[in-house]
Amino acid sequence: MKKYLALFFLFALIWSCDDDDSDFLEACFTYQFSDTTEGQIHFTNCSENASSYLWEFGDGETSTEKNPVHTFSSSPPYFVSLTAQKGRLKDTYTASIGNITVFKPNIYIYPTEQTDLCVKIEFPLGGEVIESIPEYGGEWCVNVLPNGLIDNQYTFLFYESSQPDIFQDKEGWCIPRSELKSFFENNLQQYNFSPQEITDFTDYWVPRLNTNSFYLIYPQTNEIIDKAIQLNFSTQPDNIGRLFYLITGANKAKVLKEPEINPLERNDFYVTEWGVILK
């Protein structure tokens, strides 16, 4: 009898160990560039079911912290690996980290009278304009009517840019794909964009967001955008309202903390701008 009991406990122990090793384990991280220190990145560990971590930053430095902050001495791209471990289970996730693209920002300009002005885009943390209409060439110098018509042919200044990723992904909305059009129409209206500005956005972006069941949408407004991309006018507007959406596709719903919406000011000489960051 004792022999059979010993065998039973031995098999139970083996089964228990095997069961522990079959647990799901996945390495995962997100990151955000510092908005104050050049080359510094804050890493957020999203690994599942791990008990220890090894970060390798590609510059000879490592860390075992769960959520390290690392400062690189060189310019991006950076190649970072995270190895997550639990017992004999191990998984490694590697990412190339560099600048992020802001797609199709549209700048709408509404002076109180016909105005000649120049607009410069500056990147305090580094970056560049990679597309533009009309041609940017270091600045736009244009003539603008009170209704927003630019040089008698454009209704907005268009550009795309590359710069460090300092954009927030903590507060936002999770929206089913089928509800994107109504969401953007209502959300942009809450931010006080005009009907034409809203139509410009939905006509361009809604058809392009078609590969995921849900989309996580994180708003970026002046306080965040200005740290990475600044608009400088030769004649300073009374109000500048900026809104970029950071958009990430998802295959299941996620509960997010909803942000507070502060409508843009459309008074006196004002400027509005929308754009999109895809991750």
Side-chain angles (χ1 to χ4, degrees):
M1 183 67 178
K2 290 181 179 180
K3 178 180 178 180
Y4 290 120
L5 284 173
L7 287 172
F8 171 79
F9 286 118
L10 177 61
F11 285 128
L13 178 60
I14 293 172
W15 178 85
S16 176
C17 292
D18 287 344
D19 182 63
D20 180 64
D21 283 347
S22 65
D23 286 345
F24 174 76
L25 173 65
E26 182 176 30
C28 165
F29 67 82
T30 61
Y31 63 89
Q32 188 168 39
F33 281 82
S34 169
D35 57 12
T36 58
T37 303
E38 185 175 354
Q40 186 178 86
I41 298 180
H42 298 251
F43 292 92
T44 299
N45 195 326
C46 52
S47 302
E48 295 188 44
N49 200 32
S51 57
S52 64
Y53 310 96
L54 174 63
W55 297 82
E56 297 175 274
F57 300 110
D59 56 4
E61 299 293 325
T62 62
S63 174
T64 57
E65 295 181 27
K66 183 176 182 181
N67 300 300
V69 177
H70 186 70
T71 302
F72 296 86
S73 58
S74 61
S75 300
Y78 311 120
F79 297 93
V80 178
S81 291
L82 168 62
T83 299
Q85 190 166 355
K86 180 182 180 183
R88 293 198 297 268
L89 291 178
K90 184 184 294 186
D91 187 45
T92 299
Y93 174 72
T94 301
S96 173
I97 298 173
N99 285 0
I100 194 168
T101 300
V102 178
F103 293 99
K104 206 183 182 322
N106 286 359
I107 303 171
Y108 300 86
I109 305 171
Y110 303 97
T112 56
E113 59 185 11
Q114 185 170 344
T115 302
D116 290 315
L117 56 80
C118 294
V119 185
K120 284 189 175 183
I121 304 174
E122 298 185 354
F123 301 91
L125 304 177
E128 62 180 340
V129 173
I130 55 179
E131 296 286 346
S132 62
I133 299 175
E135 186 66 29
Y136 177 64
E139 67 178 347
W140 288 294
C141 289
V142 293
N143 178 269
V144 190
L145 299 179
N147 65 1
L149 187 63
I150 300 169
D151 287 344
N152 289 317
Q153 59 179 318
Y154 305 106
T155 55
F156 51 79
L157 300 175
F158 155 79
Y159 71 99
E160 292 183 343
S161 63
S162 172
Q163 61 287 303
D165 180 7
I166 64 163
F167 302 104
Q168 71 88 17
D169 58 2
K170 301 296 184 290
E171 297 184 0
W173 304 274
C174 179
I175 307 299
R177 182 175 60 192
S178 61
E179 298 176 15
L180 283 175
K181 188 173 189 294
S182 61
F183 166 79
F184 283 124
E185 288 174 341
N186 293 331
N187 195 255
L188 287 163
Q189 185 178 44
Q190 288 178 291
Y191 277 106
N192 207 21
F193 283 89
S194 73
Q196 184 57 56
E197 294 163 1
I198 295 171
T199 297
D200 290 345
F201 183 96
T202 56
D203 283 354
Y204 184 84
W205 281 110
V206 171
R208 287 166 170 77
L209 301 174
N210 59 10
T211 58
N212 293 89
S213 300
F214 296 88
Y215 285 89
L216 310 179
I217 301 170
Y218 305 95
Q220 324 291 318
T221 52
N222 291 52
E223 183 180 2
I224 296 174
I225 299 170
D226 289 345
K227 293 175 181 178
I229 309 170
Q230 295 180 353
L231 301 180
N232 294 317
F233 295 81
S234 58
T235 301
Q236 186 62 28
D238 297 293
N239 295 288
I240 301 176
R242 314 180 75 188
L243 174 66
F244 293 170
Y245 291 114
L246 189 158
I247 302 177
T248 301
N251 291 320
K252 60 181 180 180
K254 182 177 180 180
V255 177
L256 300 176
K257 179 182 178 181
E258 291 200 6
E260 180 181 351
I261 295 177
N262 296 309
L264 312 181
E265 294 289 339
R266 304 181 72 96
N267 300 317
D268 303 317
F269 174 18
Y270 63 90
V271 170
T272 62
E273 179 188 21
W274 57 249
V276 167
I277 305 150
L278 298 176
K279 272 191 172 182

